[in-house]
Amino acid sequence: MREDQNTLILSTYVRSKGAKFMTEKNKKHVPCILAPAGNKDSFLAALAAGADAVYCGLKILSARMEAKNFSIEELIPLIGLAHDMGTKVYVAFNSLLKQDDLNIAGRLLEQLDRFAKPDALIIQDLSLIELIRQTGFAGEIHLSTLANISFPMALKLVRKQPGVNLVVVPRELSIDEIKAMAMACPSGLGLEVFVHGALCYGVSGRCYWSSYMGGKSGLRGRCVQPCRRFYTQENTTKRFFSCQDLSLDVLVKILLPVPEVKVWKIEGRKKGPHYVYYTVKAYQMLRDHGSDPQMKKTAIQLISRALGRESTHFNFLSQRPYNPVNTNGQTASGLYMGRIKGPKGKPYFVPIEELLPGDILRIGYEDDRWHSVNRVGKYVPKRGRFYLKPASGKNVSSEAPVFLIDRREKALGEMMAKVENKLSKTQEVRVDSSTFSIRLSNRYNKKQRVFEINVFRKMNKKKSQNQTGIWLYDEFQQKLHSGFASNVWWWLPPVIWPEHEEKYKKIIEFILKRGGRNFVLNIPWQMAFFKEQKNLNLWAGPFCNITNTLAIDSLANLGFAGVIVSPELGRKDYLQLPEHSPLPLGIVISGNWPLSISRFLAEDVKTEHLFSSPKGEQAWVKKYGSDFWVYPNWELDLSDKKEMLKKAGYSFFVHIIEPLPEAVKMKRRPGLWNWDLELG
């Protein structure tokens, strides 16, 4: 059996180019290549590849809970080894924190800082900024893409947050939009850009699909990926929302001249060491020797063999954007190797490429209930036969696809072993328990005027005993009289892209001149539009995803007058928030809440027409502004909980009124969302 040629190419690259790389690195701005690690083997592969930094998560409070992740005890020697090799380590702490999580998170931070000493934390929840201050964590703070910092004006406000050094920009941005963000980047703040890895259908921090369908929140790292499944619309069944992977490959040369882009991020904490090693090496080649035709060719080869999904450049080139949903293509992770043949009792497949001992195969798609994972025990030549074990193949569907999802070449294994041998052999460090306890504030008079608001898409002339809210969009028509403007609650959208920033700035200025003073901001950083205004009533909206009182405290420091909490929470979480809240609280008590908000839609999906899941759940898509909102055909409805919530301390009750398309019929079903669940 031959050794894999690609790994030999990599070994040659390491030997022949290392000295030259160090010389070139000292001459110019060189972005850090950030590698994913969801387990020890992937961590070692990242170090073997020479990654500049590695990011990983803990076993709790991470946005990729499906990865194996690490305990603090496991991280201590790995971080020490990484630092000895000149590699930084970032710990992803990018989960929403419920009130009961705050002390747990604080204790973990204290232990991380004392024993493991990572270089940075990646966070989305604003409470972490205060927890970091209270625990004295000494590393940097990087704001995750889940924090939704999507427009340039936000960056100056972000820089004012204590300890924040880096912002991870959305994957949807084009190079022109990234440059616009870079131009606005204040001194001391850098940008991190995704260059490779999985794409989510929804905008980060704006997808509630998994949570709405069963309490598994993507914002807490537990997404069950409903977007990857089959859906049916008008007798056509396809994976309408399943994206290809992002791969900027040779286009990263356009990023190189942008000094504010400090980090190139490779996504993939659920991936194996083969993927990690190949992608890191490929992007090193493209970064350091992208003008060398042979190195560029080798890098593209490595990316194609990294065992990800089929890839796309997505929105990166403004003049040539690609829709990442190809409903006629392959969107499963792994390298396609063939299809199941043979009788039910003895299924096999004929691989289109050779199989090596230790290769990991997935039979079927990840959402197939019968899918299985098989390890290859011995070498199988190209066009040979690989027989599945009877137990594994019992219910395998005929013609099911087979994917190679991980590979451990001999040369790669040897390189990883060489790195592992450097691990400290000293006695295991005992991580003492922490006694940290959060300090909460309590700033406001609990006796608040209770009021309700109906939020509409357009100006509504019907009289109502409730106050009126209206969504703002970039196509807003500037026709207002002062009395109307001052009485309305103006709702800013959950996403603002760089191309629309100036429009929103002018719209808000226009409304302010007409006497508008009540605004609901659905990104905390939208406060940047109001920095010089006084005597305004600015509330943080439900899309700010606020789930604990320390995050509310951060919003109070930004100048917010009140907070409409996240609609994802359960009964216990809702009822305990008002007790220690530093601001008045509101809640969405009824209406249409989106499953997801996206910047794109597959061409064969009709907007304003129902589509169905395999379980019969139905939804539709509506375009607002430049974004696509996916709605279920049943409403969120906590109306009968109103008195309980009022008694707990809520004073602002929101009804979101969504105009229904003619083709959509709503179902009558409980709309409690996670009220009776313990949000995962």
Side-chain angles (χ1 to χ4, degrees):
M1 183 191 71
R2 67 172 177 80
E3 186 177 3
D4 185 87
Q5 290 180 352
N6 285 333
T7 305
L8 290 175
I9 291 171
L10 291 174
S11 301
T12 303
Y13 166 71
V14 172
R15 289 194 300 268
S16 65
K17 297 292 184 179
K20 182 180 178 183
F21 164 65
M22 289 306 295
T23 301
E24 291 185 2
K25 185 173 182 179
N26 293 332
K27 289 182 179 179
K28 60 184 180 182
H29 158 68
V30 179
C32 158
I33 292 178
L34 177 61
N39 56 47
K40 179 181 177 181
D41 284 347
S42 292
F43 198 107
L44 294 173
L47 295 182
D52 302 293
V54 180
Y55 71 101
C56 51
L58 298 176
K59 291 187 179 296
I60 59 173
L61 305 180
S62 164
R64 284 292 182 274
M65 294 307 297
E66 294 304 313
K68 289 184 179 179
N69 294 317
F70 300 88
S71 67
I72 293 177
E73 288 85 355
E74 291 168 332
L75 273 181
I76 291 170
L78 290 171
I79 291 177
L81 174 60
H83 287 168
D84 289 344
M85 296 179 68
T87 300
K88 294 183 177 181
V89 179
Y90 306 156
V91 173
F93 223 80
N94 51 344
S95 175
L96 280 187
L97 302 184
K98 298 189 294 184
Q99 191 70 15
D100 289 343
D101 295 328
L102 293 176
N103 277 326
I104 297 170
R107 289 163 191 164
L108 285 172
L109 286 178
E110 196 171 68
Q111 291 170 326
L112 271 175
D113 187 61
R114 183 178 174 188
F115 297 104
K117 302 190 182 304
D119 299 275
L121 294 178
I122 304 170
I123 70 169
Q124 66 156 314
D125 194 309
L126 292 178
S127 66
L128 265 301
I129 296 177
E130 175 59 19
L131 278 175
I132 287 167
R133 186 189 70 79
Q134 289 190 20
T135 59
F137 179 82
E140 294 184 349
I141 302 174
H142 299 175
L143 284 183
S144 164
T145 184
L146 288 162
N148 205 246
I149 302 163
S150 60
F151 60 98
M153 284 180 64
L155 293 171
K156 286 186 179 179
L157 187 57
V158 168
R159 185 68 185 99
K160 294 179 181 178
Q161 305 313 299
V164 175
N165 310 89
L166 195 77
V167 165
V168 187
V169 300
R171 298 171 220 204
E172 290 85 356
L173 296 190
S174 69
I175 181 59
D176 293 332
E177 291 173 319
I178 292 170
K179 287 180 177 178
M181 297 289 280
M183 288 285 289
C185 210
S187 176
L189 189 67
L191 303 179
E192 177 178 303
V193 173
F194 285 91
V195 295
H196 194 94
L199 287 169
C200 293
Y201 176 72
V203 176
S204 290
R206 300 294 176 258
C207 190
Y208 308 88
W209 208 325
S210 177
S211 175
Y212 206 88
M213 296 300 184
K216 302 294 185 182
S217 174
L219 299 180
R220 287 174 60 81
R222 300 187 181 278
C223 180
V224 297
Q225 298 187 314
C227 60
R228 298 285 182 193
R229 299 172 184 168
F230 281 109
Y231 291 93
T232 301
Q233 187 181 67
E234 297 185 351
N235 299 316
T236 299
T237 300
K238 293 184 177 181
R239 296 182 188 274
F240 289 123
F241 306 97
S242 186
C243 296
Q244 298 169 294
D245 278 4
L246 174 69
S247 179
L248 296 189
D249 49 68
V250 296
L251 296 183
V252 291
K253 65 183 180 183
I254 308 174
L255 281 175
L256 269 176
V258 186
E260 291 82 7
V261 176
K262 307 293 186 183
V263 178
W264 291 0
K265 182 174 186 175
I266 297 169
E267 187 277 340
R269 279 196 280 145
K270 291 170 64 179
K271 299 289 189 180
H274 174 102
Y275 169 92
V276 172
Y277 190 93
Y278 273 49
T279 52
V280 169
K281 278 301 179 189
Y283 282 97
Q284 281 178 349
M285 292 178 181
L286 292 168
R287 178 191 65 185
D288 306 329
H289 309 289
S291 58
D292 182 329
Q294 183 56 49
M295 297 300 284
K296 189 174 1 180
K297 181 179 178 181
T298 302
I300 297 302
Q301 270 187 323
L302 295 175
I303 289 172
S304 71
R305 307 286 302 175
L307 310 183
R309 295 180 178 86
E310 290 185 2
S311 63
T312 173
H313 290 151
F314 191 22
N315 267 347
F316 190 70
L317 294 179
S318 305
Q319 71 276 23
R320 199 186 304 167
Y322 288 95
N323 192 319
V325 178
N326 178 5
T327 56
N328 297 315
Q330 182 63 258
T331 59
S333 61
L335 183 66
Y336 174 77
M337 298 296 281
R339 289 188 178 274
I340 295 296
K341 306 289 183 183
K344 287 186 178 180
K346 201 172 183 181
Y348 69 90
F349 80 100
V350 177
I352 61 176
E353 298 187 17
E354 66 178 358
L355 298 176
L356 306 180
D359 281 355
I360 307 296
L361 303 174
R362 187 183 67 249
I363 317 301
Y365 294 93
E366 290 167 290
D367 61 339
D368 291 328
R369 291 186 178 181
W370 48 264
H371 90 274
S372 62
V373 175
N374 285 249
R375 182 181 293 273
V376 176
K378 63 180 181 179
Y379 175 74
V380 180
K382 177 180 179 180
R383 301 301 179 189
R385 286 192 177 190
F386 178 83
Y387 286 92
L388 275 67
K389 296 178 182 179
S392 300
K394 184 178 179 181
N395 297 314
V396 171
S397 174
S398 178
E399 293 297 315
V402 180
F403 302 94
L404 175 63
I405 59 174
D406 196 17
R407 166 165 282 179
R408 194 69 54 85
E409 302 92 334
K410 181 181 178 182
L412 176 56
E414 289 173 350
M415 286 186 277
M416 290 169 57
K418 188 176 180 180
V419 172
E420 187 172 18
N421 287 337
K422 297 178 182 178
L423 273 172
S424 174
K425 301 293 193 264
T426 57
Q427 188 176 0
E428 183 178 341
V429 176
R430 181 175 177 270
V431 177
D432 297 332
S433 60
S434 169
T435 58
F436 173 82
S437 183
I438 56 169
R439 298 186 295 277
L440 299 173
S441 61
N442 194 355
R443 311 184 180 191
Y444 85 103
N445 184 345
K446 301 284 184 181
K447 294 182 179 179
Q448 297 292 319
R449 179 175 65 89
V450 175
F451 61 100
E452 296 191 37
I453 179 173
N454 293 339
V455 183
F456 300 95
R457 286 290 175 183
K458 296 181 179 180
M459 309 291 184
N460 185 58
K461 295 181 180 179
K462 294 181 181 180
K463 291 185 178 180
S464 170
Q465 59 183 344
N466 295 338
Q467 297 189 44
T468 297
I470 297 174
W471 285 101
L472 276 181
Y473 276 94
D474 56 311
E475 70 270 22
F476 178 76
Q477 299 297 313
Q478 297 185 351
K479 295 179 181 178
L480 287 177
H481 59 78
S482 298
F484 185 82
S486 61
N487 292 326
V488 166
W489 285 81
W490 300 100
W491 280 57
L492 275 65
V495 186
I496 292 180
W497 303 112
E499 63 177 320
H500 299 136
E501 178 184 86
E502 190 60 29
K503 285 185 179 180
Y504 280 108
K505 183 179 177 182
K506 291 180 179 178
I507 290 167
I508 291 168
E509 288 174 352
F510 176 83
I511 292 172
L512 290 170
K513 288 179 181 177
R514 291 294 185 276
R517 63 178 302 271
N518 301 311
F519 292 85
V520 174
L521 284 54
N522 277 294
I523 310 171
W525 321 111
Q526 289 170 342
M527 183 63 79
F529 290 113
F530 303 91
K531 58 185 178 180
E532 297 178 0
Q533 303 296 329
K534 297 180 180 180
N535 302 318
L536 297 180
N537 190 20
L538 306 178
W539 278 62
F543 287 94
C544 291
N545 301 320
I546 301 302
T547 54
N548 64 74
T549 53
L550 279 188
I552 297 169
D553 198 54
S554 294
L555 293 176
N557 292 333
L558 284 173
F560 283 94
V563 173
I564 303 168
V565 300
S566 164
E568 278 198 90
L569 294 174
R571 169 179 175 159
K572 176 186 174 184
D573 306 312
Y574 280 132
L575 297 183
Q576 65 180 343
L577 278 178
E579 181 180 357
H580 294 288
S581 175
L583 293 175
L585 297 183
I587 187 171
V588 177
I589 199 169
S590 76
N592 302 89
W593 187 265
L595 298 175
S596 187
I597 300 172
S598 179
R599 203 175 187 181
F600 55 90
L601 184 69
E603 293 180 0
D604 39 7
V605 176
K606 290 184 178 180
T607 60
E608 303 186 43
H609 285 70
L610 287 172
F611 62 85
S612 301
S613 75
K615 294 183 178 180
E617 300 152 332
Q618 293 184 312
W620 80 93
V621 181
K622 174 73 175 179
K623 188 176 184 182
Y624 288 114
S626 61
D627 298 321
F628 297 91
W629 295 52
V630 183
Y631 286 101
N633 72 330
W634 70 95
E635 292 187 357
L636 165 66
D637 188 3
L638 300 178
S639 299
D640 63 349
K641 315 298 181 188
K642 180 180 172 181
E643 290 305 314
M644 187 188 308
L645 291 163
K646 191 187 297 183
K647 186 176 180 180
Y650 289 88
S651 58
F652 189 178
F653 296 93
V654 178
H655 306 270
I656 298 178
I657 315 297
E658 178 69 21
L660 297 181
E662 290 183 9
V664 170
K665 304 297 181 185
M666 297 294 285
K667 282 186 178 179
R668 289 188 177 182
R669 59 181 290 180
L672 298 180
W673 197 346
N674 293 322
W675 179 268
D676 291 327
L677 299 177
E678 181 70 22
L679 177 64

